[in-house]
Amino acid sequence: MAKTYIFTSESVTEGHPDKVCDHISDAILDEFLRQDPDSRVAVETLVTTDFVTVAGEVTSKGKFDIEKVVRDTIAEIGYDNPALKFDAKTCKVIVKIDPQSPNISQGVTASEQKEQGAGDQGLMFGYATNETDELMPLPISLAHKLTKKLADVRKSKELAWVRPDGKSQVSVTYVNDKPQKVETIVISTQHDPEISNKEIRKQIIDKVIKPACGKWWHDDIVIHVNPTGKF
């Protein structure tokens, strides 16, 4: 008997708050490591409407204007307009970074008696699959392609009304652990207020979903675009 099930994955755009935080923390880490490859950086970021907090502990010889890195990163993502209620030029930025705790440092720092230790623990797992060229499962591969396409049409101004925040969700039917067809796609995207929901749906299907799906596109996919209304 065939084993049939639906597998669902989601992805978010670079303008989604979760990704904005990731980008800011990554940019700060990159600059510390650029200046001092031996840097140890534990930095977290929180964002909300026109507000950013960066906090954590750092051991590094690197010195730079962290607030400038924060603002440059936000602008690069695309938040450069007061109408978005999150503007790189005017948002409030609070930075609270202290030296690394000496108790953690003594467990991490290498010495003649011991190798360098870890300042935290983490468990990761995953697998490669031949379902896609990226060796990733088809649902997450398509979800990432959809959010990447959303960013592309925004930055190229092909769909100039698209704003930075968005997400995708893709559900795929599997039979005997092999993907058979895409069942459902959900796209939510911020947008300028002037465009209608009907026009948003049409343009997202034509300019984002169909190109991103490629050979997996078919006319029976159940599509939800901004299903809760204006965004």
Side-chain angles (χ1 to χ4, degrees):
M1 182 176 178
K3 181 175 70 172
T4 302
Y5 59 92
I6 293 176
F7 194 94
T8 300
S9 294
E10 73 166 12
S11 179
V12 298
T13 63
E14 61 186 341
H16 186 280
D18 292 351
K19 281 297 181 187
V20 172
C21 292
D22 289 343
H23 279 298
I24 291 171
S25 297
D26 286 350
I28 293 168
L29 171 62
D30 288 347
E31 185 58 24
F32 272 118
L33 291 175
R34 187 186 70 80
Q35 295 189 24
D36 177 7
D38 294 324
S39 295
R40 295 201 293 267
V41 181
V43 169
E44 299 286 348
T45 302
L46 176 148
V47 300
T48 186
T49 305
D50 234 20
F51 181 86
V52 181
T53 297
V54 176
E57 295 185 345
V58 172
T59 298
S60 178
K61 297 175 183 176
K63 303 290 182 184
F64 58 94
D65 186 344
I66 292 176
E67 181 175 331
K68 183 178 186 303
V69 171
V70 171
R71 294 188 186 279
D72 288 349
T73 302
I74 295 169
E76 185 178 352
I77 290 169
Y79 285 112
D80 54 4
N81 183 342
L84 302 178
K85 298 184 178 180
F86 189 60
D87 184 358
K89 298 184 292 295
T90 60
C91 67
K92 185 174 183 179
V93 178
I94 293 177
V95 178
K96 186 66 173 73
I97 293 180
D98 296 317
Q100 186 181 44
S101 161
N103 294 324
I104 295 177
S105 182
Q106 71 178 358
V108 174
T109 304
S111 68
E112 293 182 0
Q113 288 76 37
K114 65 180 179 66
E115 296 180 350
Q116 179 174 331
D120 203 348
Q121 299 82 39
L123 296 175
M124 282 67 68
F125 69 93
Y127 63 93
T129 173
N130 61 6
E131 291 176 16
T132 64
D133 292 339
E134 301 85 8
L135 304 181
M136 296 286 285
L138 181 63
I140 190 63
S141 178
L142 289 178
H144 285 334
K145 287 179 179 178
L146 287 164
T147 51
K148 174 66 165 56
K149 191 64 177 174
L150 261 182
D152 289 345
V153 297
R154 171 175 62 87
K155 291 182 174 180
S156 70
K157 300 193 182 304
E158 183 178 5
L159 298 183
W161 51 265
V162 173
R163 291 182 172 182
D165 189 4
K167 68 190 306 182
S168 68
Q169 181 177 292
V170 178
S171 298
V172 175
T173 294
Y174 282 73
V175 177
N176 293 331
D177 296 325
K178 295 186 181 299
Q180 299 300 307
K181 67 174 182 175
V182 177
E183 290 285 346
T184 307
I185 291 175
V186 182
I187 293 279
S188 296
T189 181
Q190 272 186 322
H191 58 85
D192 290 348
E194 297 81 11
I195 189 166
S196 69
N197 288 344
K198 181 179 179 180
E199 191 60 27
I200 289 172
R201 177 181 174 86
K202 179 180 184 303
Q203 292 190 31
I204 288 295
I205 291 174
D206 291 343
K207 303 294 185 179
V208 176
I209 296 177
K210 287 183 178 180
C213 284
K215 69 178 183 179
W216 290 99
W217 168 260
H218 61 88
D219 291 337
D220 294 327
I221 297 175
V222 177
I223 296 174
H224 302 284
V225 177
N226 284 8
T228 60
K230 288 188 177 294
F231 183 4

